[in-house]
Amino acid sequence: MTVRAEPPEPETVNNAPLRVFVVPHTHWDREWYHVAPRFRQRLVALIDTLLDYPQGPFLLDGQAITLRDYLAVRPEREGALRRALASGALEAGPWFVLADNLIPSGEAIVRNLEAGARVLRYFGAAAPAVAYCPDSFGHPAAMPAIAAGFGLPVAIVWRGLGGTQHPPARVLRWQSPDGTAVAICHLPHDGYEFGSALPTDTHAARARWHQLAPLLSEAAPAGVALLLNGADHHARQRALPQALAALQIAAGSTATITHSTLSAWASAFVNAWLTQADVPVVRGELRDSYGYTWTLGGTLATRAPQKRRNALLERGLLRDVEPWIALTRLYASEARDSDDARIGVSHLPALLHRAWEDLLATHPHDTLCGCSTDGVARSMDLQQELVAEQGKGLRAAALEHVIGYNAVAARAPSPRGAPQFDWRRLLLRNRAARARGGVATVHLIDTLGDVAVGPGSGHAAPLRAASSTLETGAVQAQPLSTKTRFDRRESPQHYPDNDLVAEHRCLLWVPPVPALGVQLWSHEQWRQQSAPAAAVTVRQQAQSTVIDNGRLQLTWQHASDAARESAPSLKLRVDDRELSSLLSLEVQRDEGDTYTPAPRGAVEQLRCTHARLMSRGPLRAVIRLWWRTASRARRARDDGTIVVRTDLVVDAMSPAIVCHVHGHSHRTNHRLQLVWHTDVQHRHIPHGNVWADAAFGPVRRDVITAPAHSAEAVPHGMPMHRWVMHTNAMFGATMIADGLADAHVHDHRLALTLLRGTGELSRNTVNERPGHAGWPVPTPGAQCLGAFSARTALYLHGPMSDDLLSRVRDVCDDVLLPLVGESWRDAAQGGAWGGPEVVGEAFELSGVTLSAHEEEAIVVRLVNLTTRAAWGALRMPFSGPWKFTSCRLDETPIAPPVTHEDALTFEAPPRAIITLRVRRAEPSAVR
């Protein structure tokens, strides 16, 4: 007979039993291998069961949108849901959705927490005080500051932590660049499902306990341990009380097993963590769990066009909607709300919240990362389109209130007969936090005539022809294009007034427009002298064309007629630096899936077939280049062709060269990249660094290396927000992009992934990650066939410094948020309306929006980009007095309010995130 030795009893902490908090939960991927309405059917059944057969607390995965989704089907059960939340039988939040954490901006992450808090407040409930991030594919360096800014002292994470660069511990102190720290409870290798399906049989429970006990002890400060009981889309475990009883018997005196809320565990965990000495510290981004669990960091280029559009929508809400809504609180009017059913100032907060919530609904990691079915992607396309339309409506409504435009009054009969339209009524928008002039892209709307709609409209009078150009007076202008279209003036008291108009798109050189402000031009502005100190010049020679704006020089070397295989080439010169081969496009086969790239074979260079000078100044010069993949018929038929058009843009006085990309892809299973070829390397020059824009400030990106035993290879790309920088001790180069999320940095190369095509949600044959990361489903839509576009720029500069960060900030604003304007044809009067102005080279505006807690206040958030303490100021557009209150991110005051006449001067610690609530100290007056 063989005698089997019993495994040793698990260790206790200081001879005290473990306190195991068992938190039943479901990990609710809102959409993944099904669309959200399909998964919602199961969610309704799950919550019905929890309400009808209560058996103790249950966590709805840390996101509040599940409550909304349930009530969309079961509105009659709102009372029962409220009672369950109040009693702790159900927990949700703090998030609105469990989002990806690396692709969204820092402000979008804040909006996610704000939306989650709004939902919980509606139900009279509070979320657990936990930054619950159990499945995100990495985490930003600023997450501790974000969590602490909402009163969340502990974060639960899984992926992104556990690599060789991190301390070998599962209870850590996670510190933001600004020094803020929170506790981390790092889930074990199996993540949030390590406590699922607990057995009810005593013998099986004993075996399971001996598996669980070491994992629980590893993450149990002072013996406080968390056991999550659940998994993907799992309902509450059947016979859970019996399973917990069996686990208690198995644990014996070594542990107490308690069915708990996440809130109760968090309180006990934090109290215990605070008593611990020498807790290991982890700093920066969490993007490395190689060798611990799958990191899944290769989704950055999957369904790339959707990621780009998300960034455009975020930027649109943050810098082209919220600032104008904030201005409605600064320039209050007694008649801002009326009985004529116009969208009033009081309507704007709720409408803004809804726009954000609709965008946030596309941020769950499987949705935004693109590792979901084509049905989910199609739903995201529609949702993004709806958010774009909401943004347009909110911007128009806010600007009407700011400039005093009344859409109803504008349609009232006029003593002068027909409406008086004037394309010179130009409304300029400055979306930067500094007063700014220069090149503005404007749309001048010339009215050709009224176009009737309805019976009798078939016999309308002929309309006048459009002018080819418009006379802009003394203002330096450059026409770009003209088209005719219909323009509608809308009013809640009238049918739309439908006009045929000529839309002249052109460039103007405009004097400074107030920070975060708008300016409505009258005839006087058109008479002012306005031109750049140095215009763009073009010199054409026999074999080359040279574009010069006084700060950089772009040379296009023409293709030789004698050499049929030769192609146009580009050379960029900035000061004494010269890039002899500026730009290329590269494609490589990719045999990966939506989670993981798997590049294979040789890199193919797209051939530049021809080039043309499209614009020659004085404000902008453009060289257009046409590219395509191999033209050999057999190869094109086998692989599929890619054709691309790039417009290289040099604007007056600009230090950056901008590239607009438009293309069409017929190729599958590939990766297409645009490469800026630079002169930056650090192989022979020490101190080379890669820096990148990220949530609430720049981060340094070091190379991640997977250990030999890792079941996953490290993908070559890195997250891309607005810019990525390569520097050494002598100089550097920064690539700017408008939303594509995957950047690659190597010596002499800054590469941006334009497309990555794949036809499978998950493959188990990817050598870079053997095994299925998701349920295998064909995803032909993820091949991203058809049209695509992008905008990127290159800025050459000196080595990394605090001053450089401020210049990169300004160049990014000029590239991504240029001055823009359009005619308000029937606006009554001119004027200028400025917003808050950020003073101080160290500081960048993060956001300006409405206060959620004071009806007439706005919130302005700034970031100290530097690693030193810095002085700055927030200057208001007119004299107050103004009341300034320093707050946490969630607007909880952290200091008494102070009153100043027109500006608040402050000193901010290194990398600080400053949130200020601002309102007039006296009752609102008409401005």
Side-chain angles (χ1 to χ4, degrees), residues 451-721:
V451 178
V453 175
S457 60
H459 306 286
L463 305 172
R464 73 176 179 88
S467 302
S468 58
T469 59
L470 298 176
E471 177 55 50
T472 59
V475 176
Q476 183 83 76
Q478 180 178 334
L480 297 177
S481 62
T482 299
K483 67 178 181 180
T484 57
R485 63 173 178 84
F486 294 108
D487 188 62
R488 289 185 298 274
R489 296 189 303 149
E490 299 185 46
S491 155
Q493 301 293 323
H494 307 84
Y495 280 115
D497 173 34
N498 190 49
D499 296 321
L500 183 68
V501 301
E503 181 180 62
H504 298 267
R505 181 170 173 266
C506 65
L507 304 176
L508 300 179
W509 185 268
V510 302
V513 179
L516 292 172
V518 296
Q519 189 172 63
L520 182 59
W521 276 17
S522 63
H523 286 235
E524 294 179 1
Q525 273 79 29
W526 291 100
R527 290 193 288 267
Q528 61 190 334
Q529 291 288 336
S530 181
V536 179
T537 62
V538 177
R539 302 194 309 273
Q540 289 189 281
Q541 303 167 354
Q543 296 298 320
S544 64
T545 298
V546 180
I547 298 173
D548 195 328
N549 73 351
R551 303 186 71 172
L552 59 82
Q553 189 178 87
L554 177 65
T555 301
W556 159 32
Q557 197 71 33
H558 305 167
S560 169
D561 294 333
R564 295 183 59 188
E565 294 301 316
S566 70
S569 63
L570 295 169
K571 179 171 64 177
L572 179 67
R573 185 177 183 86
V574 178
D575 298 327
D576 59 349
R577 297 170 64 181
E578 186 172 288
L579 308 183
S580 59
S581 178
L582 179 62
L583 185 72
S584 67
L585 293 167
E586 301 177 351
V587 64
Q588 185 178 19
R589 183 163 181 79
D590 190 323
E591 297 180 358
D593 54 23
T594 62
Y595 292 94
T596 304
R600 299 287 185 269
V603 174
E604 176 189 351
Q605 300 281 335
L606 272 69
R607 183 169 178 265
C608 181
T609 58
H610 59 292
R612 182 183 303 163
L613 180 67
M614 303 300 294
S615 298
R616 56 178 59 247
L619 299 179
R620 173 174 295 171
V622 179
I623 294 177
R624 178 169 293 174
L625 299 97
W626 285 264
W627 312 72
R628 65 177 297 118
T629 46
S631 58
R632 292 185 292 275
R634 181 174 179 179
R635 183 170 183 181
R637 183 179 66 249
D638 293 345
D639 293 343
T641 58
I642 302 173
V643 292
V644 182
R645 186 185 80 225
T646 57
D647 286 352
L648 287 168
V649 177
V650 177
D651 277 355
M653 308 298 292
S654 173
I657 182 166
V658 179
C659 181
H660 297 265
V661 182
H662 300 277
H664 206 96
S665 174
H666 297 279
R667 182 168 293 195
T668 59
N669 300 312
H670 75 290
R671 182 185 67 196
L672 175 67
Q673 290 189 318
L674 181 148
V675 182
W676 294 105
H677 297 276
T678 76
D679 55 356
V680 182
Q681 65 172 355
H682 58 82
R683 187 173 299 133
H684 305 297
I685 300 177
H687 312 301
N689 293 315
V690 175
W691 293 83
D693 181 38
F696 295 120
V699 294
R700 177 172 170 170
R701 294 262 169 80
D702 296 320
V703 175
I704 298 173
T705 303
H709 67 274
S710 175
E712 182 185 21
V714 181
H716 294 299
M718 66 177 65
M720 174 84 179
H721 278 206

Side-chain angles (χ1 to χ4, degrees), residues 416-474:
R416 295 176 292 180
Q420 300 298 305
F421 296 129
D422 190 345
W423 59 264
R424 294 176 181 81
R425 294 295 190 185
L426 173 64
L427 185 67
L428 291 166
R429 308 196 304 277
N430 178 12
R431 300 168 289 179
R434 70 188 194 282
R436 184 172 56 151
V439 175
T441 303
V442 302
H443 297 258
L444 303 177
I445 311 300
D446 188 17
T447 306
L448 305 181
D450 183 68
V451 178
V453 175
S457 60
H459 306 286
L463 305 172
R464 73 176 179 88
S467 302
S468 58
T469 59
L470 298 176
E471 177 55 50
T472 59

